[in-house]
Structure formats: C-alpha cells, structure tokens
Amino acid sequence: MAYTSLLTHIVFSTKDRHPFLGLAVRPRVHQYLGGIVRNLKGTAITIGGVSDHVHMLVELPPTVAISDAIRVIKSNSSGWIHEQYLWL
C-alpha cells in the first residue's frame, strides 16, 4: 500500500497588494478558500494572512497538479470576492 502526503504552502496577494482583506472580510474569505480546497479533494491544514495576502498550508491529492490547484483557488476566490463584496 502506498501513501502520499503532499503538503503545499501557497502564498498569493491581492491585486497590486491593495489591502482588500480587512478584518470584516477575512474570515469568510478563508472559509471559502477552505471549501475550494475540499472540492479539490484536499485538506486545508491552515489558512491565514493579512489584508494584502493569504497563506495556505494544504494537503493535495497526488492526482491534482499544484499549478491547477492554485489556478482554481485563485480564480474561484477572486470571482467570489468580487460577487460578495462589490466595493472591492
């Protein structure tokens, strides 16, 4: 039996490093990011960050390329943030 544990530290920033992720927005964004990781069949070990960037420690299945996971996480979260928070 084989076991794979692929831990990945993902860091990405807001556009132009603008501080869009204030304290009121940040918890919901982190929850949403965790949901995206679950949809990829991964596990979000921890998600954090500050107003202009996000840190994620995730465990991804070996069937998901890291570049694909990051593309999905960034595009889905960006679209969701712009739908939920029109002022951003």
Side-chain angles (χ1 to χ4, degrees), residues 15-64:
K15 185 175 182 180
D16 298 325
R17 301 283 296 210
H18 287 291
F20 293 136
L21 303 174
L23 291 175
V25 173
R26 207 173 304 156
R28 288 192 61 207
V29 171
H30 294 172
Q31 289 175 347
Y32 191 80
L33 290 168
I36 296 170
V37 173
R38 280 190 300 280
N39 286 340
L40 292 169
K41 307 297 186 231
T43 303
I45 310 247
T46 188
I47 299 174
V50 293
S51 62
D52 67 351
H53 70 276
V54 173
H55 287 262
M56 303 173 66
L57 181 61
V58 300
E59 183 174 17
L60 297 169
T63 56
V64 176

